[in-house]
Amino acid sequence: MTVEQARLLGPAEIRELAARLGVAPTKKLGQNFLHDPNTIRRIVAAAELDPADVAVEVGPGLGSLTLGLLSAAAHVHAVEIDPPLAAALGATAAERAPGLADRLTVHNGDAMRITAAEFDPPPTALVANLPYNVAVPVVLHLLAELPSIRHGLVMVQKEVADRLTAQPGNKIYGIPSVKLAWYASSRQAGKVPPAVFWPVPNVDSGLVSFTRREPPRDDVSRDAVFAVVDAAFAQRRKTLRAALAGWAGGAPAAEALLRKAGIDPSARGEQLDVHAFAALAAAKQ
C-alpha cells in the first residue's frame, strides 16, 4: 500500500474528526494539526524511509502524518501526550488504513520522559511534526535515549530549523546547533506554509533532515562536551576566556585550556564547531 492509497486526512476530515472526539487544538500543547495530504506526502517522501524502517512520531495529534508513515514504514511508534488523542489514534488508523493498523503502536506519554525500553521494535527513524515549544529538547532527548535512530526528518518552526542547522560563524549558531551536530549531520529540507495547519500558526515551518554519525571523538563524554557548550553560550558576547571562567575555575585556567586545545582565547563560542568543543572538553580531563 502506498501513501497515495492511504485515505489521508484533509481539512474537512480533520475538523469532523476533532468534533467527533470533542477535541480542540490547545496552545499549551503546541497543537497545530496538519490537514493537507500533499504536504503529508511531501514529508514522507523527504524522510526517505526504507520499507524496513521503524518510525517514531512525536505528537501525532489526529493522525494526519501517522497515516502516511504507516504506508511507508514497517512499524510506527506514535508518542502522544494528550490522552483523548492517543486513545483515538488506533481507531483512525483502522478506519483509514485498514490493512496497516497492526503496524501502529500508540504510546500515551511525554516524549521527554520516554525510554528505549518502551519501544519494540526499536525505532530507526524519527519523523514528526513537533510542537514548537519543545522541538529542540525532544529531538536531543530522543537521539540520546534511542541510539537505534539512524536518520530522521522533523518539522519545526522555521526559526528553530535555522538554529538547528546553523554553521559556525553564523549569528544564530548556538547550543541547539552544536548539540545536534554531536549526534548527526543535518540540513534543511524545505519550508512549510502556515495554511496547511489548523489552527493556522503565525509562522512558517521548516523541515530538518538529519543522519546520525559517530561522535566527534570517543575519549570524552557527551555530558562533558555539552557542559562546555552551555558555558560558552551562556554569555555569548564574551570571549571564551571570560565566558568559560566559571567552567574552568577562573579566566587564567580557561585561557590555558583553550590554548591546550588549540583555540584562540579571544574567540567566541559561535566560532567553534563541535570538534573544537570536544577538544576543549578533552583538554580539561
Side-chain angles (χ1 to χ4, degrees):
M1 193 176 200
T2 66
V3 175
E4 286 71 25
Q5 290 172 303
R7 293 174 56 224
L8 301 179
L9 295 163
E13 291 88 353
I14 282 284
R15 290 177 182 273
E16 187 276 329
L17 181 55
R20 194 196 322 162
L21 298 175
V23 167
T26 73
K27 193 168 185 178
K28 178 184 176 185
L29 295 178
Q31 290 172 332
N32 297 90
F33 299 135
L34 266 172
H35 61 57
D36 179 56
N38 286 331
T39 300
I40 298 297
R41 295 184 185 104
R42 179 183 159 208
I43 291 170
V44 173
E48 298 181 337
L49 294 172
D50 184 277
D53 266 323
V54 175
V56 58
E57 180 190 8
V58 174
L62 292 166
S64 302
L65 179 56
T66 314
L67 293 170
L69 293 174
L70 285 172
S71 300
H75 198 85
V76 177
H77 292 285
V79 182
E80 176 56 61
I81 196 171
D82 191 340
L85 291 176
L89 196 57
T92 300
E95 178 186 341
R96 305 194 69 88
L100 303 174
D102 61 348
R103 295 185 180 186
L104 176 65
T105 302
V106 180
H107 305 260
N108 179 202
D110 185 347
M112 287 298 296
R113 297 176 180 273
I114 205 139
T115 65
E118 297 172 62
F119 294 102
D120 183 22
T124 59
L126 168 62
V127 188
N129 165 28
L130 291 172
Y132 293 160
N133 53 345
V134 296
V136 171
V138 163
V139 169
L140 295 178
H141 171 73
L142 292 178
L143 284 171
E145 181 61 33
L146 302 173
S148 58
I149 291 177
R150 307 314 307 165
H151 67 115
L153 183 86
V154 293
M155 180 160 58
V156 296
Q157 187 174 331
K158 182 62 171 64
E159 179 186 333
V160 175
D162 292 342
R163 290 206 305 269
L164 281 170
T165 58
Q167 298 299 306
N170 191 308
K171 65 181 180 180
I172 60 171
Y173 178 79
I175 291 173
S177 326
V178 185
K179 290 185 177 179
L180 179 57
W182 171 268
Y183 297 105
S185 60
S186 67
R187 62 178 176 83
Q188 295 205 38
K191 286 202 301 187
V192 179
V196 301
F197 297 96
W198 172 62
V200 177
N202 56 7
V203 293
D204 284 335
S205 297
L207 299 174
V208 174
S209 173
F210 66 86
T211 303
R212 192 187 287 266
R213 62 187 177 197
E214 290 299 312
R217 52 197 296 168
D218 58 12
D219 61 343
V220 63
S221 73
R222 178 183 67 228
D223 288 347
V225 177
F226 284 10
V228 69
V229 171
D230 290 339
F233 288 102
Q235 300 170 299
R236 63 182 298 149
R237 293 191 178 190
K238 291 189 174 183
T239 65
L240 286 170
R241 182 184 190 278
L244 297 178
W247 167 80
E255 178 168 349
L257 289 171
L258 285 158
R259 293 194 184 283
K260 182 179 177 183
I263 299 166
D264 182 352
S266 67
R268 287 173 170 76
E270 66 197 45
Q271 296 171 257
L272 271 57
D273 66 11
V274 68
H275 297 275
F277 279 112
L280 187 51
K284 193 185 180 190
Q285 294 186 146

